[in-house]
Each structure stands twice: as C-alpha cells, then as structure tokens.
Amino acid sequence: MYQTVEPTESIYLSWLGAILGTVLVGLSGLVPMLIIPIEAGQNLRSEQGSRSLRLLLSFAVGGLLGDVFLHLFPESYGALRTSGKNTHTGHLVMGLWILGGILTFLVLEKIL
C-alpha cells in the first residue's frame, strides 16, 4: 500500500524541487517587464499611470510580506519546539507576536 522511497532518491527530489522553486521565483521578477512596456515612462507620470504603479507596488510589497511571514511561521514554531517551551502558552505568545507584527504593518501602511 505504501511505497518506500530510497534516501538518495528523496535527496534528489528535494534538490530538484528547491532548484525548480528558486528558478520560478527568480523568473517571476521578470513579469512586470512584460506588463509595463519600456515606452510607458511618460504615462506612469500621469494620474492614471501613478494609480496603476501604486497598485503594482502594493502587490509586490504584499507578496514580499506574505513570503516573509509564511517562511517565518515554520522557523518560529521550530525554534519554539527546540527551546523546550513547546506549550500552549508558548504557541499563544508566538501567535500574538506574529499577529502584532501584521497589525503593525497594517497601521504603518494606513499612516504613511
């Protein structure tokens, strides 16, 4: 019913997945070059262009913040597990710190 995977095959699959993910994330930075033509410099200075640029920048910042938080969740809970504070209170405090960071970014975005 279950299939066993050889350790070397598992390592190769891990490396292949990591390299493929890195290439895809790296190439995603080229997408704005396809959306915004080079000749659009004058148009971006207009009101409509400025709005479009702000929208694209908000997606970029949101994507980066989401990436940071999604990578910090496993790291923070892993550190919590190895520190010996793997209790309900430890998880609650960690979650409150993460929620506080998200709310801080929200308030800073609204103020600035």
Side-chain angles (χ1 to χ4, degrees):
M1 181 171 199
Y2 292 106
Q3 198 176 32
T4 59
V5 178
E6 294 293 322
T8 55
E9 186 179 328
S10 175
I11 291 172
Y12 290 131
L13 285 176
S14 297
W15 275 100
L16 180 66
I19 290 172
L20 183 65
T22 303
V23 168
L24 287 174
V25 168
L27 290 177
S28 69
L30 300 176
V31 171
M33 290 177 55
L34 301 173
I35 295 173
I36 303 172
I38 293 175
E39 302 87 29
Q42 291 296 333
N43 293 336
L44 291 176
R45 292 188 182 106
S46 69
E47 182 65 32
Q48 178 66 27
S50 177
R51 244 183 281 142
S52 298
L53 186 60
R54 272 193 234 130
L55 179 68
L56 290 172
L57 285 173
S58 66
F59 277 119
V61 170
L64 288 172
L65 286 175
D67 184 50
V68 165
F69 282 118
L70 288 177
H71 280 100
L72 283 179
F73 281 146
E75 291 288 329
S76 60
Y77 286 118
L80 192 66
R81 187 177 329 118
T82 58
S83 71
K85 298 178 181 176
N86 195 14
T87 62
H88 176 70
T89 306
H91 286 273
L92 180 66
V93 169
M94 184 71 67
L96 288 174
W97 274 108
I98 292 170
L99 183 63
I102 293 171
L103 291 174
T104 301
F105 276 110
L106 178 70
V107 168
L108 285 175
E109 177 191 359
K110 295 299 178 185
I111 290 173
L112 301 175

